[in-house]
Amino acid sequence: MPLWMLVVAGIAADSAGSAKIAVAPAESLHVVRIGTGTPVVLIPGFFGSTLGFAKLVPLLSAAGYQSIIVEPLGTGFSGRPAHA
């Protein structure tokens, strides 16, 4: 199963909030979910974080979309592998 499907399934119970999804021993992805409706997965670019979508998420919510932001390893509040 692709990683993004595990992330979405791991936070499907809430309509808003954040979660840490374990992907390896001592490593986890930070995932933020905001709103309800059709899900849209947002992944920040290099040196990005959830804050980079601060202006976009309210617009998506107003249009009836649910934003799911997945911070890759090494960015935002996700784990930082020691030997990456």
Side-chain angles (χ1 to χ4, degrees):
M1 179 181 295
L3 180 60
W4 70 269
M5 290 177 77
L6 292 172
V7 169
V8 172
I11 60 171
D14 295 326
S15 64
S18 66
K20 292 264 186 179
I21 308 297
V23 293
E27 299 300 337
S28 62
L29 293 176
H30 181 241
V31 179
V32 176
R33 188 170 121 171
I34 302 167
T36 59
T38 304
V40 176
V41 178
L42 305 169
I43 302 172
F46 196 55
F47 294 120
S49 71
T50 300
L51 296 175
F53 297 112
K55 292 184 179 182
L56 178 62
V57 169
L59 298 173
L60 289 171
S61 293
Y65 293 97
Q66 172 182 230
S67 300
I68 300 173
I69 306 169
V70 181
E71 293 180 325
L73 290 175
T75 63
F77 291 103
S78 288
R80 289 175 167 61
H83 300 290

